[in-house]
Amino acid sequence: MVDPMHFEAHAAQYARARPPYPPALWDRLRELDVLRPGRRALDLGAGTGQATGPLLAAGLHVTAVEPGPRLASRLRDAHPDATVILTRAEDIELPDASFDAVVAATSIHWMDLDVLLPKVHRLLGPGGVFLVWRNVFGDPDVSTPFRDRVAAIVADRDDPPRRWPDPEEVAATSAALTANGLFSVDETTTFRWSIELDERQVRDLFTTFSDWSADEVDRAGAAVRELGRRVLEHYQSWLIVLRPLDDSPGAAR
């Protein structure tokens, strides 16, 4: 298992290298009436605020939970209007029905769902929604020379294949989030987008990937240099919208 605190050791790169979530995702949240000013949102595994910032900009009151001290410090500096709690998502202790939305943005795969899901269920108020989304770096439906080089780097690894569900697969994540019967999926949506990156941006970004070694990052950087010093990356972002089930105090009415 790769180290979930890898990001803490690379907080500076994380803050500058991780791309924002695509505008189409935020547009969909507006259509769902999630981004109504004055609503209360809980951002789990907030990192340096890639989701916290847009939630605040939409007028929400945001409580951001981040276990890494360096990441949390950068989060506070960048978004002083957020309430930042330094702890794991599984360890938060907050009043029942405190939030209109709970968000896990490219973070849910690090969390123990047996502990987390009952807690999220309890924290959501009437009509509350649980939103899980992530960026997938590399669109499997789009082939590019750079992605061919990335695939070759990954293929050279000696590590055995992962045995747990692929966290980049929306279907596997949806199944895991609904397995205990506390939530149902309202919808899943995938957004496709692209971004141009130079060698330094690729090095910074790939350094933040928890399963990439320094040597592999060097190889990815060299690939950019050899392919003309800039590459167009095609990415996906998916969104899962979940509602609490049953008639408990935290469930939707």
Side-chain angles (χ1 to χ4, degrees), residues 19-140:
Y21 295 105
L25 184 148
W26 298 107
D27 290 343
R28 181 57 187 148
L29 295 182
R30 289 187 189 91
E31 292 169 356
L32 293 170
D33 202 29
V34 171
L35 302 183
R36 189 186 304 173
R39 287 194 166 181
R40 304 155 300 166
L42 179 65
D43 185 5
L44 302 176
T48 54
Q50 282 75 10
T52 302
L55 291 170
L56 288 168
L60 280 70
H61 302 292
V62 182
T63 299
V65 177
E66 169 53 47
R70 294 178 186 173
L71 292 168
S73 177
R74 288 180 174 272
L75 177 60
R76 289 191 182 98
D77 290 344
H79 304 293
D81 290 336
T83 298
V84 178
I85 301 176
L86 181 63
T87 190
R88 299 189 317 148
E90 297 93 328
D91 297 332
I92 52 173
E93 295 296 337
L94 296 166
D96 290 1
S98 296
F99 297 97
D100 303 297
V102 175
V103 170
T106 316
S107 62
I108 196 71
H109 52 294
W110 296 114
M111 300 172 190
D112 183 342
L113 297 185
D114 290 337
V115 176
L116 182 74
L117 292 178
K119 189 159 291 194
V120 171
H121 191 275
R122 176 177 60 77
L123 290 173
L124 283 170
V129 61
F130 184 24
L131 304 168
V132 178
W133 71 75
R134 73 167 292 146
N135 282 341
V136 178
F137 298 100
D139 187 331

Side-chain angles (χ1 to χ4, degrees), residues 1-246:
M1 181 68 178
V2 290
D3 180 7
M5 294 301 284
H6 171 90
F7 315 109
E8 173 71 0
H10 300 284
Q13 288 100 325
Y14 195 97
R16 68 174 178 255
R18 286 283 172 135
Y21 295 105
L25 184 148
W26 298 107
D27 290 343
R28 181 57 187 148
L29 295 182
R30 289 187 189 91
E31 292 169 356
L32 293 170
D33 202 29
V34 171
L35 302 183
R36 189 186 304 173
R39 287 194 166 181
R40 304 155 300 166
L42 179 65
D43 185 5
L44 302 176
T48 54
Q50 282 75 10
T52 302
L55 291 170
L56 288 168
L60 280 70
H61 302 292
V62 182
T63 299
V65 177
E66 169 53 47
R70 294 178 186 173
L71 292 168
S73 177
R74 288 180 174 272
L75 177 60
R76 289 191 182 98
D77 290 344
H79 304 293
D81 290 336
T83 298
V84 178
I85 301 176
L86 181 63
T87 190
R88 299 189 317 148
E90 297 93 328
D91 297 332
I92 52 173
E93 295 296 337
L94 296 166
D96 290 1
S98 296
F99 297 97
D100 303 297
V102 175
V103 170
T106 316
S107 62
I108 196 71
H109 52 294
W110 296 114
M111 300 172 190
D112 183 342
L113 297 185
D114 290 337
V115 176
L116 182 74
L117 292 178
K119 189 159 291 194
V120 171
H121 191 275
R122 176 177 60 77
L123 290 173
L124 283 170
V129 61
F130 184 24
L131 304 168
V132 178
W133 71 75
R134 73 167 292 146
N135 282 341
V136 178
F137 298 100
D139 187 331
D141 297 328
V142 180
S143 177
T144 67
F146 178 68
R147 275 290 136 186
D148 291 342
R149 297 284 290 271
V150 169
I153 294 168
V154 173
D156 285 343
R157 292 176 177 170
D158 295 327
D159 298 336
R162 295 177 178 177
R163 295 184 179 181
W164 56 90
D166 187 341
E168 294 188 347
E169 291 186 1
V170 64
T173 304
S174 295
L177 291 169
T178 56
N180 65 0
L182 291 176
F183 291 92
S184 64
V185 173
D186 259 15
E187 71 169 72
T188 61
T189 308
T190 298
F191 312 94
R192 286 181 162 84
W193 53 286
S194 59
I195 186 172
E196 191 175 68
L197 302 173
D198 62 23
E199 180 181 349
R200 178 181 175 182
Q201 290 170 313
V202 165
R203 285 180 178 274
D204 281 346
L205 178 60
F206 280 53
T207 294
T208 71
F209 295 163
S210 56
D211 56 351
W212 275 67
S213 69
D215 177 67
E216 290 173 335
V217 170
D218 285 343
R219 291 176 63 187
V224 176
R225 188 167 61 252
E226 293 161 10
L227 291 169
R229 299 188 180 277
R230 299 189 72 86
V231 293
L232 184 66
E233 279 280 71
H234 299 272
Y235 292 157
Q236 293 184 17
S237 299
W238 49 249
L239 165 69
I240 307 172
V241 179
L242 301 110
R243 301 280 180 179
L245 292 173
D246 79 32

